[in-house]
Amino acid sequence: MSVLDSLAAISLLSVWFLCIEASVHDYAGEKFVSKGNAFVVHGGSEGIYFSLPNQNESAANCDSCIRFEKITFRRPKEYSNFSSRLVQALIFEVDDRETIGGSAYGGQRAVCCTADLAKLGVCSQGEIIHRPSSQNPGWPKVFGVSFNADELTAKLQPKSIQITKTGMYNLYFIHCDPNLKELVVEGKSIWKNPTGYLPGRMAPLMNFYGFMSLAFVILGIFWFSQYARFWREVLPLQNCITLVITLGMLEMALWYFDYAEFNENGVRPTGITVWAVTFGTVKRTVSRLIILMVSMGYGVVRPTLGGLTSKVIMLGATFFLASEVLELVENVGTVSDLSGNARLFLVLPVAILDAFFILWIFKSLSATLNKLQARRMMAKLDIYRKFTNALAVAVIVSVGWICYELYFKSTDVYNEQWQNAWIITAFWQVLSFSLLCVICALWAPSQNSTRYAYSDDGEEFDRDDTLTLIKPSPIPSKDVRSPPEVRPAHGGNDVSNGDLEEDKTE
């Protein structure tokens, strides 16, 4: 792998896992890492929209720029007895990546100018190899500073780089002097878009979460109005759905305020981010548990989950912990430091638990549908069939989107499609909201809510509407027999006991 490939790989990790502390990139003693014949510190990668230069704007108030503040390079005293070569800052747009580096006589591509290339007169030995961009005049930007003998620090002058072309920009601090051992960089770089400090890849998400907040408010108005009208008929399952809607409203609002604060100040509000992540994780966990319990027939064909309660709670708690850790690591702090293997280690448990949820849900749905059909509970059977179809569509769409997401990431190696990357995050929110709307439509509070609830009386009204017009005889005759599941009082107890026994054995 060449040095340029290494730089591209670093950029890829930094962008896809970019939930940096802010668009203000802080460097607190970052050490240079050897990459080929260069020593590199990755300073950041962000999508930036262009703005036309304004002669009246100051460097501190530019509309679209990358600004350097207090960038300082430090070396230990024991390695300070010589004058060094340049320590340089390199900024380039992803389309100009081929203008960085070179090779002599078809050899391995390198970032630092070698003696052979210096003899050809294409660069100065010990400096970064770069050529002017044909598409973006004046780019890439390369500037640096060197150490004099016995100097422990070297400072870059404050500088503001105006962005005049929309693109994915990469910043690296690079030196080519192997004698500069233990060199570190301190200070910060500030990346600004015309609309604020949000990275270009994340900027559309602020408006998206605003729209999602409005969508949850509309859903909440519908649900809570029905809840208030028929509060005497409300089932425990509907109370759980109310909790999910409330958590969703809070989550979307918190994400919007998180992005708005980030965009305004350039520093991500850690407290709001943690709360948004936590509410989102709780919502996803409760949603999965509700779907699982509904699939098992809780409150519909069985009064309790029986012996499965502890297993369901354990699965939910494990999923919550795994998801919370993953989301906190992805959204709080400097995620650029997280390697691909480390992130895979955190993603795998969540993916496995999700797959387990799906398998258990559909297995339980199959058993519940068979039970409803055997007991001829047609109203409940109809609602469960609709619920099953909605879940099946959601799973199929999810699998298709995952395949598209893998294709998107594998083909966009250099993040040239960064302006569309927000859609991947938005899709999962839209899908979960759509499924929640379906559940709300199927189980909305109404005057007939008890029609779908578990009952000890055999639920004869649910099997056929005409049966409700016939007053059952207290003494069964030889000519008119009760349906198999409608029995005397002691028979109803037998059915309930049978369900409980089934719960214990599942």
Side-chain angles (χ1 to χ4, degrees):
M1 177 182 287
S2 67
V3 177
L4 287 181
D5 292 334
S6 300
L7 295 181
I10 295 174
S11 299
L12 180 62
L13 289 174
S14 302
V15 173
W16 281 115
F17 309 141
L18 180 65
C19 287
I20 52 176
E21 186 175 346
S23 223
V24 178
H25 295 243
D26 285 313
Y27 315 113
E30 307 292 334
K31 293 184 178 181
F32 284 76
V33 179
S34 176
K35 296 290 182 182
N37 68 342
F39 299 87
V40 179
V41 167
H42 180 238
S45 296
E46 287 189 18
I48 304 181
Y49 294 91
F50 85 97
S51 68
L52 296 175
N54 186 348
Q55 295 180 353
N56 296 324
E57 69 182 9
S58 63
N61 297 309
C62 58
D63 283 340
S64 180
C65 63
I66 301 173
R67 191 166 69 248
F68 293 89
E69 291 187 2
K70 301 179 181 179
I71 298 295
T72 303
F73 303 101
R74 297 185 183 275
R75 61 178 178 175
K77 187 175 182 180
E78 56 269 26
Y79 300 117
S80 63
N81 57 349
F82 65 94
S83 297
S84 74
R85 295 173 179 172
L86 285 174
V87 182
Q88 297 174 291
L90 167 66
I91 306 176
F92 65 96
E93 201 269 325
V94 67
D95 288 341
D96 298 330
R97 59 186 179 274
E98 295 300 328
T99 66
I100 309 299
S103 61
Y105 313 113
Q108 184 178 8
R109 194 175 181 87
V111 171
C112 290
C113 185
T114 62
D116 291 336
L117 286 171
K119 290 178 182 179
L120 295 175
V122 297
C123 58
S124 299
Q125 187 172 356
E127 296 184 10
I128 297 174
I129 305 170
H130 64 94
R131 297 175 300 283
S133 170
S134 59
Q135 300 178 354
N136 198 6
W139 287 81
K141 302 289 186 182
V142 182
F143 47 91
V145 65
S146 60
F147 288 88
N148 294 323
D150 298 324
E151 278 187 343
L152 298 180
T153 62
K155 296 183 179 181
L156 281 177
Q157 293 296 321
K159 187 181 293 287
S160 182
I161 308 298
Q162 184 74 32
I163 303 300
T164 56
K165 177 190 174 185
T166 298
M168 174 62 65
Y169 287 85
N170 301 276
L171 167 63
Y172 292 93
F173 298 105
I174 301 175
H175 75 81
C176 306
D177 193 341
N179 295 318
L180 280 175
K181 298 179 180 179
E182 303 297 325
L183 184 68
V184 298
V185 59
E186 299 173 353
K188 61 183 178 180
S189 62
I190 301 173
W191 305 55
K192 191 173 184 300
N193 268 290
T195 56
Y197 290 98
L198 270 177
R201 183 181 63 89
M202 301 169 65
L205 287 173
M206 184 175 72
N207 292 331
F208 169 76
Y209 283 120
F211 285 118
M212 287 301 299
S213 297
L214 179 61
F216 264 97
V217 167
I218 294 173
L219 177 63
I221 291 173
F222 161 75
W223 182 265
F224 292 126
S225 63
Q226 292 293 103
Y227 194 96
R229 287 179 59 193
F230 307 106
W231 63 274
R232 294 181 182 276
E233 309 294 330
V234 168
L235 307 174
L237 173 62
Q238 292 165 335
N239 288 328
C240 295
I241 296 174
T242 303
L243 175 62
V244 172
I245 294 174
T246 304
L247 290 171
M249 295 171 67
L250 291 172
E251 181 196 9
M252 294 300 107
L254 285 170
W255 277 125
Y256 175 79
F257 288 121
D258 176 65
Y259 278 64
E261 181 75 12
F262 189 176
N263 191 55
E264 181 69 23
N265 300 321
V267 177
R268 194 159 196 178
T270 303
I272 298 178
T273 306
V274 171
W275 279 110
V277 165
T278 303
F279 275 114
T281 305
V282 172
K283 185 198 75 174
R284 286 190 294 275
T285 303
V286 173
S287 300
R288 283 162 174 76
L289 291 179
I290 289 175
I291 293 174
L292 179 58
M293 290 189 298
V294 170
S295 302
M296 291 177 172
Y298 169 70
V300 178
V301 296
R302 58 170 64 175
T304 68
L305 295 180
L308 296 175
T309 303
S310 59
K311 296 179 182 179
V312 171
I313 293 175
M314 185 180 300
L315 177 61
T318 306
F319 179 83
F320 172 80
L321 290 175
S323 297
E324 181 77 357
V325 171
L326 174 62
E327 294 296 323
L328 286 175
V329 170
E330 283 196 331
N331 292 281
V332 181
T334 307
V335 182
S336 301
D337 295 337
L338 186 66
S339 68
N341 291 333
R343 185 180 184 277
L344 182 64
F345 177 76
L346 296 174
V347 168
L348 275 178
V350 178
I352 292 172
L353 289 170
D354 257 333
F356 192 81
F357 262 115
I358 292 172
L359 292 174
W360 199 357
I361 285 170
F362 279 98
K363 181 181 178 181
S364 300
L365 270 176
S366 178
T368 302
L369 287 170
N370 290 336
K371 188 177 295 185
L372 290 172
Q373 191 164 9
R375 296 181 181 182
R376 292 192 296 165
M377 299 176 181
M378 305 312 296
K380 294 180 181 179
L381 181 61
D382 180 63
I383 200 172
Y384 262 84
R385 281 175 174 167
K386 293 177 180 177
F387 179 62
T388 303
N389 292 337
L391 280 182
V393 170
V395 170
I396 293 172
V397 171
S398 297
V399 172
W401 188 259
I402 289 173
C403 294
Y404 169 75
E405 188 175 340
L406 292 174
Y407 168 79
F408 182 90
K409 293 184 178 182
S410 62
T411 56
D412 188 32
V413 178
Y414 297 105
N415 308 298
E416 295 168 284
Q417 300 297 322
W418 59 274
Q419 296 181 65
N420 299 323
W422 68 276
I423 299 175
I424 292 176
T425 300
F427 171 82
W428 296 111
Q429 294 287 359
V430 172
L431 181 64
S432 62
F433 178 76
S434 301
L435 187 58
L436 178 60
C437 288
V438 172
I439 293 174
C440 289
L442 292 177
W443 273 281
S446 67
Q447 60 185 0
N448 296 322
S449 291
T450 54
R451 181 181 179 85
Y452 307 109
Y454 175 82
S455 177
D456 288 330
D457 61 2
E459 302 181 275
E460 63 273 16
F461 66 88
D462 197 31
R463 271 181 259 102
D464 195 318
D465 292 340
T466 59
L467 294 180
T468 59
L469 303 177
I470 303 174
K471 184 177 180 180
S473 172
I475 303 175
S477 64
K478 296 181 180 179
D479 298 329
V480 181
R481 296 174 179 263
S482 297
E485 68 276 19
V486 178
R487 302 178 183 179
H490 65 276
N493 292 335
D494 290 339
V495 172
S496 177
N497 293 337
D499 283 344
L500 293 178
E501 288 300 321
E502 178 186 357
D503 295 342
K504 295 177 182 178
T505 58
E506 283 192 24

